[in-house]
Amino acid sequence: MNKIQAYITGQIISSNDSEAHSLHAKSYFGEVKQGKIQYTLTEALYLVEKGKLEVLQKSKPLLEKQIFDEARKIDKKIQIKYPVFKDLRDRGYILKTALKFGADFRIYDKGQKPGTSHAKWVCFVEHESSKLSWHEFSAKNRVAHSTKKNLLLAIVDEEGDISYYEVKWLKP
């Protein structure tokens, strides 16, 4: 497979490359928007790290560090969100944005496909030093419950290690 060429314009990374469409159909990277494949920052970083994507800005290829620096300007949480995305994607899960839920990711169970099944989890990523009040925890739990998903909290520590906590509703 040739490297997919994608272009960053403002906050959007997209490609009209046939390989981009092929990878989307096979592995669900990106979303089809206006005939192009549009990538989230985490997807683009992941594909660049895996050697499958080259991001260009005004026809000039960007280095991985430059892409990360651009991503950091757009998303202040990218340093903790990306390791979670990478870890779960490497384990075979498909992650999509959960912006409309106010969360970081929707996560599809292994073997499940976006568009044909529903995500199993809505994921919130936090740094271990972050404080979470009971009201905030309750709000996150309500988002998950109202969307018929389980709540997954991904806690990233100073060393970059990740702990996952799944929260489910029980009916006694």
Side-chain angles (χ1 to χ4, degrees), residues 81-121:
K81 285 170 56 176
Y82 179 65
V84 171
F85 181 92
K86 181 180 185 233
D87 179 56
L88 291 172
R89 193 69 204 217
D90 284 348
R91 293 177 190 223
Y93 296 97
I94 295 173
L95 288 79
K96 292 295 180 184
T97 184
L99 188 60
K100 71 179 181 179
F101 302 129
D104 295 305
F105 301 112
R106 289 173 288 138
I107 303 172
Y108 293 81
D109 208 357
K110 292 178 184 178
Q112 301 299 305
K113 296 170 181 41
T116 59
S117 59
H118 293 282
K120 183 174 182 178
W121 297 280

Side-chain angles (χ1 to χ4, degrees), residues 56-96:
L56 298 107
Q57 188 173 44
K58 298 179 183 173
S59 301
K60 181 184 164 207
L62 297 177
L63 300 172
E64 194 172 333
K65 183 192 178 319
Q66 291 173 303
I67 300 165
F68 203 86
D69 289 343
E70 288 296 316
R72 199 172 308 129
K73 291 177 193 172
I74 298 166
D75 185 350
K76 304 295 181 224
K77 286 178 67 176
I78 197 72
Q79 286 185 270
I80 59 171
K81 285 170 56 176
Y82 179 65
V84 171
F85 181 92
K86 181 180 185 233
D87 179 56
L88 291 172
R89 193 69 204 217
D90 284 348
R91 293 177 190 223
Y93 296 97
I94 295 173
L95 288 79
K96 292 295 180 184

Side-chain angles (χ1 to χ4, degrees), residues 32 43 101 123 127 140 147 156:
V32 179
E43 286 174 321
F101 302 129
C123 179
H127 189 270
K140 290 176 185 333
T147 58
V156 182

Side-chain angles (χ1 to χ4, degrees), residues 95-157:
L95 288 79
K96 292 295 180 184
T97 184
L99 188 60
K100 71 179 181 179
F101 302 129
D104 295 305
F105 301 112
R106 289 173 288 138
I107 303 172
Y108 293 81
D109 208 357
K110 292 178 184 178
Q112 301 299 305
K113 296 170 181 41
T116 59
S117 59
H118 293 282
K120 183 174 182 178
W121 297 280
V122 61
C123 179
F124 291 87
V125 179
E126 296 293 340
H127 189 270
E128 70 175 345
S129 64
S130 297
K131 304 274 189 241
L132 187 67
S133 72
W134 282 110
H135 290 306
E136 292 167 322
F137 176 74
S138 178
K140 290 176 185 333
N141 213 353
R142 286 187 179 281
V143 166
H145 182 68
S146 69
T147 58
K148 296 183 171 83
K149 294 165 185 37
N150 294 333
L151 172 62
L152 188 67
L153 297 174
I155 310 300
V156 182
D157 69 17

